[in-house]
Amino acid sequence: MIESTLVLIKPDAFAKHYTGDIIKRYEEAGLQISAMKLLQMTPQLAAKHYAEHVGREYYEGLASFMTSAPLIAMVLRGEDAIERVRQLDGVTDPAKAVPGTIRHDFAESTRHNAVHASDGPESAVREIHIFFNETEIYI
């Protein structure tokens, strides 16, 4: 099934100039970029994106990190895009990620883990529309 998913190249990966390498992996896997922008997340945007985490003990650190510097937001589209992106990304902890995955190769910790990807169809729809309006999404 053709799907769309949100991917964020987080501030750590953007700052280390891994953006091109990460995007290339998604494109080489046959995923299409439907939307992409460079932005700096605001505290309000972080609270909306991470709404289910607000109030948890780790939220302030997460929000502080995600608002600390620019990031890339993208919509990727393709056959089974959500699962394929999650496989390309690897598990959240880069120390446990399979070699060759984005997090294994580019992340430094569970917080500074290079990328975010939607975890299912419902979250993909919700997250995409936090960062993009319909006129910004192509394909």
Side-chain angles (χ1 to χ4, degrees), residues 82-120:
I82 296 167
E83 181 58 30
R84 288 175 54 211
V85 165
R86 293 184 68 77
Q87 290 295 316
L88 290 164
D89 289 349
V91 297
T92 305
D93 183 349
K96 297 177 182 173
V98 173
T101 61
I102 290 168
R103 288 187 175 128
H104 178 273
D105 295 349
F106 302 113
E108 51 186 71
S109 68
T110 55
R111 178 169 293 158
H112 295 187
N113 64 0
V115 291
H116 163 86
S118 302
D119 64 5

Short mmCIF file of all heavy atoms in Angstrom, two decimals, residues 82-120:
data_model
loop_
_atom_site.label_atom_id
_atom_site.label_comp_id
_atom_site.label_asym_id
_atom_site.label_seq_id
_atom_site.Cartn_x
_atom_site.Cartn_y
_atom_site.Cartn_z
N ILE A 82 5.80 3.72 5.94
CA ILE A 82 5.96 3.83 7.39
C ILE A 82 6.89 2.75 7.92
O ILE A 82 7.88 3.04 8.61
CB ILE A 82 4.60 3.81 8.10
CG1 ILE A 82 3.78 5.04 7.69
CG2 ILE A 82 4.76 3.73 9.62
CD1 ILE A 82 2.31 4.98 8.07
N GLU A 83 6.61 1.52 7.60
CA GLU A 83 7.45 0.41 8.07
C GLU A 83 8.84 0.45 7.45
O GLU A 83 9.84 0.19 8.13
CB GLU A 83 6.78 -0.93 7.79
CG GLU A 83 7.56 -2.14 8.29
CD GLU A 83 7.86 -2.11 9.79
OE1 GLU A 83 7.07 -1.54 10.57
OE2 GLU A 83 8.91 -2.65 10.19
N ARG A 84 8.93 0.78 6.18
CA ARG A 84 10.24 0.83 5.52
C ARG A 84 11.14 1.89 6.15
O ARG A 84 12.33 1.65 6.38
CB ARG A 84 10.07 1.05 4.03
CG ARG A 84 9.51 -0.21 3.35
CD ARG A 84 9.21 -0.03 1.89
NE ARG A 84 10.36 0.45 1.15
CZ ARG A 84 10.26 1.22 0.07
NH1 ARG A 84 9.09 1.62 -0.38
NH2 ARG A 84 11.34 1.60 -0.57
N VAL A 85 10.57 3.06 6.43
CA VAL A 85 11.36 4.12 7.06
C VAL A 85 11.82 3.67 8.44
O VAL A 85 12.98 3.86 8.81
CB VAL A 85 10.56 5.44 7.13
CG1 VAL A 85 11.21 6.43 8.09
CG2 VAL A 85 10.42 6.05 5.74
N ARG A 86 10.94 3.05 9.20
CA ARG A 86 11.31 2.60 10.54
C ARG A 86 12.42 1.54 10.49
O ARG A 86 13.31 1.53 11.33
CB ARG A 86 10.08 2.13 11.30
CG ARG A 86 9.13 3.34 11.57
CD ARG A 86 7.94 3.01 12.37
NE ARG A 86 8.26 2.67 13.75
CZ ARG A 86 8.56 3.55 14.71
NH1 ARG A 86 8.62 4.84 14.45
NH2 ARG A 86 8.81 3.13 15.94
N GLN A 87 12.38 0.69 9.48
CA GLN A 87 13.45 -0.29 9.32
C GLN A 87 14.77 0.39 8.94
O GLN A 87 15.83 0.02 9.46
CB GLN A 87 13.07 -1.32 8.24
CG GLN A 87 11.95 -2.25 8.65
CD GLN A 87 12.35 -3.15 9.81
OE1 GLN A 87 13.43 -3.69 9.84
NE2 GLN A 87 11.45 -3.28 10.78
N LEU A 88 14.70 1.36 8.04
CA LEU A 88 15.91 2.09 7.65
C LEU A 88 16.50 2.87 8.84
O LEU A 88 17.72 2.97 8.97
CB LEU A 88 15.60 3.07 6.52
CG LEU A 88 15.31 2.47 5.15
CD1 LEU A 88 14.66 3.49 4.24
CD2 LEU A 88 16.59 1.92 4.53
N ASP A 89 15.62 3.40 9.69
CA ASP A 89 16.08 4.18 10.84
C ASP A 89 16.74 3.31 11.90
O ASP A 89 17.71 3.73 12.51
CB ASP A 89 14.91 4.92 11.49
CG ASP A 89 14.40 6.06 10.63
OD1 ASP A 89 15.06 6.43 9.64
OD2 ASP A 89 13.32 6.59 10.96
N GLY A 90 16.21 2.14 12.16
CA GLY A 90 16.70 1.29 13.23
C GLY A 90 16.05 1.65 14.56
O GLY A 90 15.31 2.63 14.66
N VAL A 91 16.35 0.89 15.59
CA VAL A 91 15.75 1.11 16.90
C VAL A 91 16.26 2.42 17.51
O VAL A 91 17.31 2.92 17.13
CB VAL A 91 16.00 -0.08 17.86
CG1 VAL A 91 15.34 -1.35 17.33
CG2 VAL A 91 17.47 -0.29 18.12
N THR A 92 15.51 2.93 18.47
CA THR A 92 15.79 4.23 19.08
C THR A 92 17.18 4.32 19.70
O THR A 92 17.85 5.34 19.59
CB THR A 92 14.72 4.54 20.15
OG1 THR A 92 13.44 4.45 19.54
CG2 THR A 92 14.89 5.92 20.72
N ASP A 93 17.62 3.27 20.33
CA ASP A 93 18.95 3.26 20.96
C ASP A 93 19.99 2.87 19.92
O ASP A 93 20.04 1.72 19.48
CB ASP A 93 18.95 2.26 22.12
CG ASP A 93 20.26 2.23 22.88
OD1 ASP A 93 21.27 2.81 22.41
OD2 ASP A 93 20.27 1.62 23.97
N PRO A 94 20.85 3.80 19.52
CA PRO A 94 21.83 3.48 18.47
C PRO A 94 22.78 2.35 18.85
O PRO A 94 23.28 1.65 17.98
CB PRO A 94 22.58 4.80 18.25
CG PRO A 94 22.29 5.62 19.44
CD PRO A 94 20.98 5.17 19.99
N ALA A 95 23.00 2.14 20.14
CA ALA A 95 23.88 1.05 20.58
C ALA A 95 23.26 -0.31 20.29
O ALA A 95 23.97 -1.31 20.19
CB ALA A 95 24.19 1.18 22.06
N LYS A 96 21.93 -0.35 20.15
CA LYS A 96 21.23 -1.60 19.87
C LYS A 96 20.76 -1.69 18.43
O LYS A 96 20.20 -2.71 18.03
CB LYS A 96 20.03 -1.74 20.81
CG LYS A 96 20.42 -1.83 22.27
CD LYS A 96 19.21 -1.89 23.16
CE LYS A 96 19.63 -1.94 24.63
NZ LYS A 96 18.50 -1.83 25.54
N ALA A 97 20.98 -0.64 17.65
CA ALA A 97 20.53 -0.61 16.26
C ALA A 97 21.42 -1.49 15.39
O ALA A 97 22.62 -1.64 15.63
CB ALA A 97 20.54 0.82 15.74
N VAL A 98 20.83 -2.07 14.39
CA VAL A 98 21.55 -2.93 13.44
C VAL A 98 22.53 -2.09 12.63
O VAL A 98 22.18 -1.00 12.17
CB VAL A 98 20.53 -3.64 12.50
CG1 VAL A 98 21.22 -4.41 11.40
CG2 VAL A 98 19.59 -4.52 13.31
N PRO A 99 23.76 -2.57 12.45
CA PRO A 99 24.71 -1.85 11.59
C PRO A 99 24.10 -1.58 10.21
O PRO A 99 23.42 -2.43 9.65
CB PRO A 99 25.91 -2.81 11.50
CG PRO A 99 25.85 -3.57 12.79
CD PRO A 99 24.37 -3.77 13.06
N GLY A 100 24.35 -0.39 9.72
CA GLY A 100 23.80 0.00 8.42
C GLY A 100 22.50 0.79 8.53
O GLY A 100 22.06 1.38 7.55
N THR A 101 21.89 0.80 9.72
CA THR A 101 20.69 1.63 9.90
C THR A 101 21.13 3.07 10.19
O THR A 101 22.28 3.32 10.60
CB THR A 101 19.79 1.12 11.04
OG1 THR A 101 20.52 1.16 12.26
CG2 THR A 101 19.28 -0.28 10.75
N ILE A 102 20.22 4.00 9.98
CA ILE A 102 20.54 5.41 10.17
C ILE A 102 20.96 5.69 11.60
O ILE A 102 21.97 6.36 11.84
CB ILE A 102 19.34 6.28 9.73
CG1 ILE A 102 19.21 6.21 8.20
CG2 ILE A 102 19.47 7.72 10.23
CD1 ILE A 102 17.93 6.76 7.64
N ARG A 103 20.22 5.16 12.56
CA ARG A 103 20.58 5.44 13.96
C ARG A 103 21.90 4.79 14.36
O ARG A 103 22.67 5.38 15.11
CB ARG A 103 19.44 5.03 14.88
CG ARG A 103 18.26 5.99 14.75
CD ARG A 103 17.20 5.70 15.77
NE ARG A 103 16.14 6.68 15.71
CZ ARG A 103 14.86 6.38 15.60
NH1 ARG A 103 14.46 5.11 15.56
NH2 ARG A 103 13.95 7.33 15.57
N HIS A 104 22.16 3.61 13.88
CA HIS A 104 23.46 2.98 14.19
C HIS A 104 24.60 3.84 13.65
O HIS A 104 25.61 4.05 14.32
CB HIS A 104 23.53 1.57 13.59
CG HIS A 104 24.85 0.92 13.83
ND1 HIS A 104 25.93 1.09 12.98
CD2 HIS A 104 25.29 0.14 14.84
CE1 HIS A 104 26.97 0.42 13.44
NE2 HIS A 104 26.61 -0.16 14.58
N ASP A 105 24.42 4.34 12.42
CA ASP A 105 25.51 5.02 11.74
C ASP A 105 25.65 6.50 12.10
O ASP A 105 26.75 7.05 12.00
CB ASP A 105 25.35 4.87 10.23
CG ASP A 105 25.49 3.42 9.78
OD1 ASP A 105 25.91 2.56 10.58
OD2 ASP A 105 25.16 3.15 8.60
N PHE A 106 24.55 7.15 12.51
CA PHE A 106 24.59 8.60 12.69
C PHE A 106 24.16 9.11 14.07
O PHE A 106 24.33 10.29 14.35
CB PHE A 106 23.73 9.29 11.63
CG PHE A 106 24.15 8.99 10.22
CD1 PHE A 106 23.33 8.26 9.38
CD2 PHE A 106 25.37 9.42 9.73
CE1 PHE A 106 23.70 7.98 8.07
CE2 PHE A 106 25.77 9.15 8.43
CZ PHE A 106 24.93 8.42 7.60
N ALA A 107 23.60 8.28 14.92
CA ALA A 107 23.09 8.74 16.21
C ALA A 107 24.12 8.52 17.31
O ALA A 107 24.99 7.66 17.20
CB ALA A 107 21.79 8.02 16.56
N GLU A 108 23.99 9.29 18.39
CA GLU A 108 24.93 9.15 19.50
C GLU A 108 24.29 8.65 20.78
O GLU A 108 24.99 8.17 21.66
CB GLU A 108 25.66 10.46 19.74
CG GLU A 108 24.77 11.67 19.88
CD GLU A 108 25.54 12.97 19.98
OE1 GLU A 108 26.11 13.39 18.96
OE2 GLU A 108 25.56 13.56 21.08
N SER A 109 22.97 8.77 20.94
CA SER A 109 22.30 8.32 22.16
C SER A 109 20.81 8.16 21.88
O SER A 109 20.34 8.47 20.79
CB SER A 109 22.50 9.35 23.28
OG SER A 109 21.80 10.55 22.99
N THR A 110 20.08 7.70 22.89
CA THR A 110 18.63 7.55 22.69
C THR A 110 17.94 8.89 22.51
O THR A 110 16.91 8.97 21.84
CB THR A 110 17.97 6.78 23.86
OG1 THR A 110 18.29 7.44 25.07
CG2 THR A 110 18.43 5.35 23.89
N ARG A 111 18.45 9.95 23.10
CA ARG A 111 17.87 11.28 22.88
C ARG A 111 18.39 11.90 21.60
O ARG A 111 17.64 12.43 20.80
CB ARG A 111 18.16 12.21 24.04
CG ARG A 111 17.58 13.62 23.75
CD ARG A 111 17.57 14.52 24.92
NE ARG A 111 16.62 14.02 25.90
CZ ARG A 111 16.67 14.33 27.19
NH1 ARG A 111 17.60 15.13 27.64
NH2 ARG A 111 15.79 13.85 28.02
N HIS A 112 19.68 11.85 21.39
CA HIS A 112 20.28 12.39 20.17
C HIS A 112 20.38 11.25 19.16
O HIS A 112 21.47 10.78 18.85
CB HIS A 112 21.65 12.99 20.48
CG HIS A 112 21.59 14.17 21.40
ND1 HIS A 112 22.68 14.92 21.67
CD2 HIS A 112 20.58 14.73 22.09
CE1 HIS A 112 22.35 15.90 22.50
NE2 HIS A 112 21.08 15.78 22.77
N ASN A 113 19.22 10.87 18.64
CA ASN A 113 19.16 9.67 17.82
C ASN A 113 18.88 9.94 16.34
O ASN A 113 18.32 9.11 15.65
CB ASN A 113 18.18 8.65 18.40
CG ASN A 113 16.75 9.14 18.41
OD1 ASN A 113 16.45 10.24 17.98
ND2 ASN A 113 15.85 8.31 18.92
N ALA A 114 19.27 11.11 15.88
CA ALA A 114 19.34 11.48 14.47
C ALA A 114 18.01 11.73 13.78
O ALA A 114 17.88 12.69 13.04
CB ALA A 114 20.17 10.47 13.67
N VAL A 115 17.02 10.86 13.96
CA VAL A 115 15.77 10.98 13.19
C VAL A 115 14.56 10.62 14.04
O VAL A 115 14.65 9.87 15.01
CB VAL A 115 15.79 10.08 11.93
CG1 VAL A 115 16.79 10.58 10.90
CG2 VAL A 115 16.09 8.63 12.28
N HIS A 116 13.44 11.15 13.60
CA HIS A 116 12.13 10.76 14.12
C HIS A 116 11.33 10.28 12.92
O HIS A 116 11.42 10.86 11.84
CB HIS A 116 11.39 11.95 14.75
CG HIS A 116 9.93 11.69 14.91
ND1 HIS A 116 9.41 11.05 16.01
CD2 HIS A 116 8.88 11.94 14.08
CE1 HIS A 116 8.10 10.93 15.85
NE2 HIS A 116 7.76 11.48 14.70
N ALA A 117 10.53 9.24 13.11
CA ALA A 117 9.63 8.77 12.06
C ALA A 117 8.29 8.40 12.69
O ALA A 117 8.24 7.88 13.80
CB ALA A 117 10.23 7.55 11.35
N SER A 118 7.24 8.66 11.96
CA SER A 118 5.90 8.30 12.43
C SER A 118 5.84 6.80 12.70
O SER A 118 6.43 6.01 11.97
CB SER A 118 4.86 8.67 11.38
OG SER A 118 4.90 10.04 11.08
N ASP A 119 5.10 6.42 13.74
CA ASP A 119 5.05 5.00 14.12
C ASP A 119 3.84 4.24 13.59
O ASP A 119 3.73 3.05 13.83
CB ASP A 119 5.17 4.84 15.63
CG ASP A 119 4.01 5.45 16.40
OD1 ASP A 119 3.04 5.94 15.78
OD2 ASP A 119 4.08 5.45 17.64
N GLY A 120 2.94 4.91 12.88
CA GLY A 120 1.78 4.23 12.32
C GLY A 120 0.99 5.18 11.44
O GLY A 120 1.28 6.39 11.40
#
